[in-house]
Amino acid sequence: QVQLVESGGGLVQAGGSLRLSCAASGIIVGFNDMGWYRQAPGKERDLVASRGSTGNTMYADSVKGRFTIVRDNGENTMYLQMNNLKPEDTGVYYCNFQTMSSNYWGRGTQVTVSS
């Protein structure tokens, strides 16, 4: 049984920072590809950051240099550190883990960036 629980979203002014957390149970973060997706109002859910099981990372152009994906194997938790936030970063953020056979999603956490 896999469960992903997200937290850390909120309201922040442009230029501020947030750290999103995704606590995983029933799955080991170090053994799987993982990522953070964002769904802005009226838009598709898009990948913003990912980390492979081997440690390779990828970032969407819109967040490069500002977002960092981190995992804590001891706490079995994935984080997204978001710095220098912009209004266009507003949306619902979802964590995702991919196994050999399945995709698992968190419930989402709202991030709102005001100008």
Side-chain angles (χ1 to χ4, degrees):
Q1 186 175 4
V2 175
Q3 185 174 3
L4 307 177
V5 180
E6 297 156 318
S7 61
L11 175 64
V12 64
Q13 293 184 348
S17 298
L18 287 172
R19 188 182 72 170
L20 306 182
S21 299
C22 178
S25 61
I27 189 171
I28 300 175
V29 298
F31 289 177
N32 298 278
D33 298 336
M34 58 188 184
W36 286 94
Y37 288 73
R38 177 174 65 207
Q39 187 166 19
K43 298 182 179 180
E44 296 182 355
R45 185 181 300 181
D46 294 323
L47 180 68
V48 298
S50 66
R51 191 183 196 277
S53 60
T54 59
N56 55 302
T57 58
M58 188 281 296
Y59 298 93
D61 289 341
S62 61
V63 306
K64 285 181 178 178
R66 300 187 297 116
F67 289 11
T68 305
I69 190 169
V70 182
R71 69 180 182 187
D72 186 328
N73 292 340
E75 296 185 359
N76 208 40
T77 300
M78 176 178 65
Y79 301 93
L80 183 67
Q81 179 65 47
M82 304 186 295
N83 298 323
N84 192 24
L85 284 161
K86 303 176 180 180
E88 54 263 39
D89 295 321
T90 294
V92 179
Y93 285 73
Y94 300 86
C95 65
N96 168 263
F97 285 82
Q98 301 178 37
T99 69
M100 294 296 294
S101 59
S102 301
N103 262 331
Y104 300 97
W105 294 93
R107 62 192 178 190
T109 184
Q110 176 71 44
V111 172
T112 303
V113 184
S114 62
S115 60

